[in-house]
Amino acid sequence: AKSRGRNQFGYFMPSMQRAAQNKMRTVNDLRAALARNQLRVLYQPIVELSSGRIRKAEALLRWEHPQRGAVSPAEFIPLAEESGLIVAIGDWVFQQAFHQAMRWRASIDPQFQISVNMSPAQFRRQWSATGPPPLPHKRSHPLLGRYSGSEIVLEITEGMLMESTHSIREQLLAFRESGIQMSLDDFGTGYSSLSYLKKFHIDYLKIDQSFVLKMVAGSDDLALCEAIVVMGHKLGIKVIAEGVETQEQRELLTGAGCDFGQGYLFARPLTAPQFDRLLRRRDRG
Ligand code: C2E
Ligand code: CA
Ligand code: CA
Ligand code: CA
């Protein structure tokens, strides 16, 4: 009866209402996908530019929809955030990444780290139901109960630092105190007040790929990257360049003293077994 109703009235339905329905359907599908284990985490290598070695990875979520095929995170993450589903999904990604980091720490490199993208709602949840927060405590967050090492780096955006409420900022600081490292994603695209870099003791800056993709010798984009590296290093922050696609970009970034590179030049996001194969191939030379 439900689908007949949709057919009958679909023609008259204002397009905004139809868009809202599509959204709702996508959110329901996403919820089912999480329950049925149809989401996947891919890992994109992060390479130390001075040595060419893979030192880290970024966890990137993928959704293979049974009818629609691959749905881009750019499409479904905003819906997951709007619906609150991102909290459960984010926990799942965090756990996958944590276990993978433990495996790679055992097999490849005891310092190996995986960075995980965080949404604001993942920091907000503790206190949303109970009103104003008490003083944050190390163990107040579900993720912190189990994970307190440096296996995981949280990727947050400038917006989360600038626009977030007091309670989110307090929660971020509580994460920091527990030893979890933080990376500032998409750096240069927002409205960062540079004082936040110091205040939150950021460990890594990720230069946004929009600066890297068009970078050539003598370009303004290169000058910006160089300036970010100098500033980062003066503050004790390591710098990661995203979207490295060409050998020229790699050389310019290495010349600028950038610490790490991530991008299609090195590898696309990979499944864990693909990642293992790549590492073994590299080890053999
Ligand atoms: P992001 O965090 O900025 O991730 C980097 C994006 O750049 C990824 O897109 C990656 O596949 C892509 N990329 C990597 N190297 C290159 C390159 O050399 N050239 C180009 N053109 N692109 C490159 P992806 O995987 O489609 O993810 C899109 C966005 O979705 C991410 O942007 C992130 O904001 C969000 N996202 C992905 N996974 C998660 C997650 O688990 N949780 C949350 N909250 N957000 C996620
Ligand atoms: Ca990211
Ligand atoms: Ca980014
Ligand atoms: Ca982004």
Side-chain angles (χ1 to χ4, degrees), residues 141-274:
H141 197 281
L143 292 178
L144 289 190
R146 283 161 289 169
Y147 316 112
S148 55
S150 55
E151 301 91 347
I152 297 294
V153 177
L154 304 183
E155 290 203 6
I156 61 171
T157 58
E158 296 170 296
M160 281 172 70
L161 297 185
M162 297 296 294
E163 292 147 33
S164 63
T165 58
H166 181 70
S167 68
I168 291 183
R169 277 185 274 131
E170 292 294 299
Q171 181 112 73
L172 281 170
L173 289 172
F175 268 80
R176 291 290 309 150
E177 277 164 25
S178 79
I180 286 189
Q181 299 190 357
M182 287 203 297
S183 179
L184 197 52
D185 202 1
D186 304 344
F187 186 73
T189 60
Y191 319 85
S192 259
S193 156
L194 296 178
S195 65
Y196 279 95
L197 296 180
K198 195 80 206 127
K199 186 164 173 194
F200 288 95
H201 305 285
I202 294 290
D203 300 280
Y204 299 97
L205 276 181
K206 295 190 85 170
I207 302 177
D208 189 68
Q209 47 185 271
S210 60
F211 298 108
V212 178
L213 287 171
K214 294 167 291 173
M215 197 176 73
V216 290
S219 63
D220 288 349
D221 284 327
L222 176 59
L224 273 171
C225 289
E226 287 168 343
I228 292 172
V229 168
V230 168
M231 180 197 64
H233 287 176
K234 289 218 159 133
L235 293 171
I237 300 170
K238 301 258 190 220
V239 180
I240 302 170
E242 287 191 317
V244 183
E245 292 189 353
T246 68
Q247 188 59 33
E248 184 187 8
Q249 290 159 357
R250 176 192 190 159
E251 282 162 14
L252 291 171
L253 288 161
T254 307
C258 186
D259 303 282
F260 299 95
Q262 177 183 350
Y264 297 164
L265 175 68
F266 305 109
R268 300 207 165 231
L270 304 170
T271 64
Q274 288 171 331

